[in-house]
Amino acid sequence: MMRARALGLGLAACAGLLLAACQQGPTAAQREAAARQQAAAQRAAQSQQELKLYHEMLARNDLQLAASMGRQIEQMYPGTPAAAEVSKGLPGVAAQAAKQAERRRLAALWDYQAGVPMAGGTQNTATIYDTRGDGTQGDIQLVLRRHSQWGQSVYLYGQAPGFVCKGVCRVPIAVDGGRPHDWSAYLPPTGEPALFIKDDARFIAMLEKAKTLVIDVDLKQGGTRALKYEVAGFKPKDFPPLARH
């Protein structure tokens, strides 16, 4: 009788221990594993959201932002399906983004004005400054002009006292690193610090196909200078012929 009672008490004690263990919940290791799983799920979900934005930027052809987002996904979510998907195409996207950025930089070098009143007429202009050896903007403009009275002109415009040129002088111009060829030029009779290049139509046709022009000029103050113009971003549609009245 006593033995049975003792056995019953032992079983009750074991049941109590099991109940206490159940009431205590998961172990520390179990909680840590669950937290890791939850964090991984959140990380995967966030990476998929970033991946969606990446594809939206690609669809908009905003390649610079897409490349930046792609690199962020690789860095922040390594080992995820999103990072693996991005890594397949990111080198190509980054290369295209660099080309896109360069095209925008070159286009931004030009300034266009249309329908501007000037000296009793109207003019359209396209202008660009020379680029110095260190990549900064120079101080001599290359100007393409169409004026309702004066017609079409191509000239360099700088700071006073201007350029050295007696009568019709020869100005060497090199295209895309090629051998320089002489172009005829002259100073304006009105005395502005400008140097006009003859055969403007041929010059503009050449410029439309060129990436860089290097024009050697003699300055009244400063000696001979090789002026480099990064003309690849020129947009002929933004320099239209004057409207006929």
Side-chain angles (χ1 to χ4, degrees), residues 75-157:
Q75 293 169 3
M76 294 183 63
Y77 308 105
T80 63
E85 181 177 339
V86 166
S87 296
K88 293 177 183 178
L90 187 56
V93 171
Q96 290 299 316
K99 291 180 181 179
Q100 186 183 74
E102 179 65 1
R103 286 194 297 269
R104 289 175 176 172
R105 183 189 74 83
L106 292 171
L109 296 177
W110 285 92
D111 180 65
Y112 304 91
Q113 295 186 14
V116 178
M118 174 60 66
T122 302
Q123 70 177 20
N124 297 340
T125 59
T127 61
I128 184 172
Y129 280 96
D130 65 297
T131 301
R132 294 193 176 103
D134 60 1
T136 60
Q137 178 181 287
D139 56 1
I140 298 181
Q141 286 181 302
L142 171 62
V143 181
L144 314 181
R145 182 181 67 190
R146 288 173 176 148
H147 191 278
S148 57
Q149 292 184 5
W150 306 330
Q152 181 172 270
S153 304
V154 172
Y155 59 95
L156 301 174
Y157 191 87

Side-chain angles (χ1 to χ4, degrees), residues 2-242:
M2 292 182 64
R3 186 176 179 181
R5 183 178 178 185
L7 181 60
L9 289 173
L11 291 173
C14 288
L17 290 172
L18 289 173
L19 179 61
C22 291
Q23 289 176 342
Q24 287 176 359
T27 64
Q30 290 172 332
R31 290 195 297 272
E32 184 178 347
R36 285 198 301 268
Q37 291 177 352
Q38 183 179 8
Q42 291 176 345
R43 186 164 162 267
Q46 290 170 350
S47 71
Q48 288 299 316
Q49 290 178 353
E50 301 275 344
L51 182 63
K52 182 180 178 181
L53 290 174
Y54 172 77
H55 284 301
E56 288 177 357
M57 292 171 189
L58 287 178
R60 295 200 306 264
N61 199 38
D62 197 340
L63 300 180
Q64 289 177 268
L65 280 177
S68 178
M69 178 64 73
R71 286 189 287 267
Q72 179 176 304
I73 291 172
E74 283 188 327
Q75 293 169 3
M76 294 183 63
Y77 308 105
T80 63
E85 181 177 339
V86 166
S87 296
K88 293 177 183 178
L90 187 56
V93 171
Q96 290 299 316
K99 291 180 181 179
Q100 186 183 74
E102 179 65 1
R103 286 194 297 269
R104 289 175 176 172
R105 183 189 74 83
L106 292 171
L109 296 177
W110 285 92
D111 180 65
Y112 304 91
Q113 295 186 14
V116 178
M118 174 60 66
T122 302
Q123 70 177 20
N124 297 340
T125 59
T127 61
I128 184 172
Y129 280 96
D130 65 297
T131 301
R132 294 193 176 103
D134 60 1
T136 60
Q137 178 181 287
D139 56 1
I140 298 181
Q141 286 181 302
L142 171 62
V143 181
L144 314 181
R145 182 181 67 190
R146 288 173 176 148
H147 191 278
S148 57
Q149 292 184 5
W150 306 330
Q152 181 172 270
S153 304
V154 172
Y155 59 95
L156 301 174
Y157 191 87
Q159 303 291 327
F163 303 87
V164 176
C165 179
K166 294 181 180 180
V168 176
C169 58
R170 297 292 179 179
V171 175
I173 300 178
V175 181
D176 297 338
R179 185 169 62 87
H181 293 277
D182 286 343
W183 288 67
S184 298
Y186 62 95
L187 299 178
T190 46
E192 294 92 349
L195 180 65
F196 281 74
I197 297 173
K198 284 180 169 289
D199 204 350
D200 49 86
R202 184 166 69 93
F203 183 95
I204 293 174
M206 173 191 70
L207 180 148
E208 290 179 355
K209 300 175 183 178
K211 295 180 180 178
T212 61
L213 302 179
V214 176
I215 306 176
D216 293 336
V217 296
D218 291 324
L219 301 173
K220 291 180 179 178
Q221 185 176 358
T224 301
R225 279 178 58 181
L227 304 174
K228 179 182 178 181
Y229 294 94
E230 298 180 275
V231 298
F234 176 63
K235 297 179 180 178
K237 66 180 180 63
D238 292 333
F239 178 57
L242 288 170

